[in-house]
Amino acid sequence: MDQILLFCRPGFETEAGREMTDRASEKGMFGYFEPEANQGRVRFLISAPARAEDIMAILPLDELVFVRDWMVVLGALPLPASDRVGAVIAGLRSLDLGWPGCARLEIRVPENNADRDLGNFARKWVSPLSRGLRGAGLLKPDQNAPAPARLEVFLPDFETALLGYSLSENRARYVGGIPRLRLPASAPSRSALKLEEAWKVFLPEGRELDYLGGGKKAADLGAAPGGWTWQLVRQGMLVTAVDNGPMNDELMASGQVEHVEADGFAWRPKRGIDWMVCDIVDQPRKTARLAVTWLGEGLCRYALFNLKLPMKKRYEEWLICRDILESGLEAAGVHARLRARHLYHDREEITCFIERVG
C-alpha cells in the first residue's frame, strides 16, 4: 500500500493525520493515518487505486497547516553495522517501484532526536552515500541537474533506514519545514524568531523586499517587550507598538517606534497602514475576528497573527477559526489570500498570514 510520511511538531501527530485525511478526501483520494506518538511523524496510508504521488501532485503542501513537510515512502530496510552504503544501494534496486529520477540526496533524522551521534553520522554520511548512489546510477551524475524529485533517507536510529523521495515542486522550502535561525543578542525576546520564520515560510522567495522594504508602516498589537517590533524595525519600518506593558529601552531609542499604552484589541490606527502583527495570548476566535476587522475596514494590507490553540480539540478549533476568517472576509467584500502553518518556533499556537489581493 502506498504511503506518505508526514512531518509535524512532536505531540501534534493526530492533528496532522486528521488534516491530511480531510484534505486528501476533498481531492477524491482516501486513506488513513498511523501516528507515532510524540515523534513528530505520521504515516498516511492510501487506499487503492490512488497513489502517493497522485496526492502530492494535486494537494499543495502550502495548503496544510499542521503538516510541515512530507515524503513518499518507498520502503524500509535494516542497516548493517558495516557497508551501509551498499545496503541502501541494494535496497533501492530491490524496490523497483518506478520512482522518479533524483539528482540530490537528503538524509533526515527525527526532529526530537537526542542522539548526537546519529545527527553527526547523518551529516557525514551524505557525501559517501551520494557518491555511491551516483556510481550505481541511482542518482544523476550532476547534482545540480534538473530533476523531478529528491531522494530521501530517514534515519529513526542507526539500525533502520526509511527510503523515499520528495517532489521538487511540492515540498517544504526548508528540510522538515524548519528554517535554522539564530537569535541575535540584541533581540528583546525569543518571540522574534517566530516572526522571522513566518516571513521565510509565507513570503514568496525573492520578493521579500516587495513586502517588507520601502519604509512601510506597521502596528504590533501586544508588543511588549518588543520581539516582533524589533524585527519590523530591522526592516526599516515605522512601528506603532501597542501594549500596556513596558517596551525594551534600546528598541525605543531607535526613533522608529511609537509606544501606545492601550489594549491591542481595542486600538485602531487613524488611517490604513501596511502591516498589522499580533502575538496576543487570548482566545483564538477573538484574534481571528480582530484580523477580519482590520482587513475588512481597510486598516492594513497584510495581517500576520498567532492563534493560541486550546489543549484539547486543537484541530477543531483551527477549523472554526478558519471559517471565521474566510466567511468574515467574504462578508466584508475583501479579496484576500490566507495561509496558516504550525511553525517550528510556534508551540501551542499556529501562525496565520493574510494578504489583501486586487
Side-chain angles (χ1 to χ4, degrees), residues 95-147:
L95 292 171
D96 192 26
L97 296 177
W99 48 289
C102 301
R104 298 183 66 89
L105 164 73
E106 183 68 43
I107 300 178
R108 304 172 181 243
V109 296
E111 178 182 328
N112 57 354
N113 171 56
D115 187 343
R116 294 185 61 183
D117 290 339
L118 181 64
N120 291 334
F121 168 73
R123 287 189 291 272
K124 294 178 181 178
W125 197 34
V126 172
S127 181
L129 182 55
S130 296
R131 287 196 302 269
L133 291 169
R134 292 188 207 287
L138 295 169
L139 280 181
K140 292 187 177 184
D142 180 3
Q143 67 174 357
N144 296 314

Side-chain angles (χ1 to χ4, degrees), residues 138-192:
L138 295 169
L139 280 181
K140 292 187 177 184
D142 180 3
Q143 67 174 357
N144 296 314
R150 180 178 67 202
L151 183 62
E152 306 277 358
V153 177
F154 179 74
L155 301 177
D157 49 50
F158 277 108
E159 290 74 39
T160 311
L162 200 63
L163 308 179
Y165 62 89
S166 60
L167 298 179
S168 300
E169 300 300 320
N170 195 17
R171 63 177 178 233
R173 187 185 304 181
Y174 305 95
V175 176
I178 304 173
R180 301 298 178 180
L181 307 176
R182 291 186 178 181
L183 184 72
S186 58
S189 69
R190 289 195 61 81
S191 68

Side-chain angles (χ1 to χ4, degrees), residues 275-293:
W275 281 88
M276 181 276 279
V277 301
C278 177
D279 192 26
I280 298 176
V281 179
D282 210 308
Q283 297 177 3
R285 301 178 200 185
K286 184 177 179 181
T287 303
R289 293 188 184 99
L290 175 69
V292 169
T293 297

Side-chain angles (χ1 to χ4, degrees), residues 185-188 225 230 233 247-255 257:
S186 58
W230 177 81
V233 166
M247 294 292 293
N248 176 272
D249 290 337
E250 292 183 10
L251 187 59
M252 294 304 301
S254 68
V257 182

Side-chain angles (χ1 to χ4, degrees), residues 198-274:
W199 284 337
K200 289 183 176 295
V201 170
F202 293 134
L203 302 187
E205 191 171 9
R207 291 189 54 207
E208 292 83 359
L209 283 178
D210 295 340
Y211 289 82
L212 304 175
K216 291 181 169 55
K217 295 182 179 180
D220 183 1
L221 309 183
W228 284 25
T229 295
W230 177 81
Q231 288 285 16
L232 296 164
V233 166
R234 290 182 79 196
Q235 301 299 325
M237 297 191 198
L238 299 175
V239 185
T240 302
V242 184
D243 201 305
N244 284 312
M247 294 292 293
N248 176 272
D249 290 337
E250 292 183 10
L251 187 59
M252 294 304 301
S254 68
Q256 293 174 237
V257 182
E258 177 190 3
H259 182 196
V260 176
E261 295 186 23
D263 179 355
F265 282 103
W267 182 85
R268 301 288 185 271
K270 294 180 180 179
R271 58 186 61 85
I273 58 176
D274 299 291

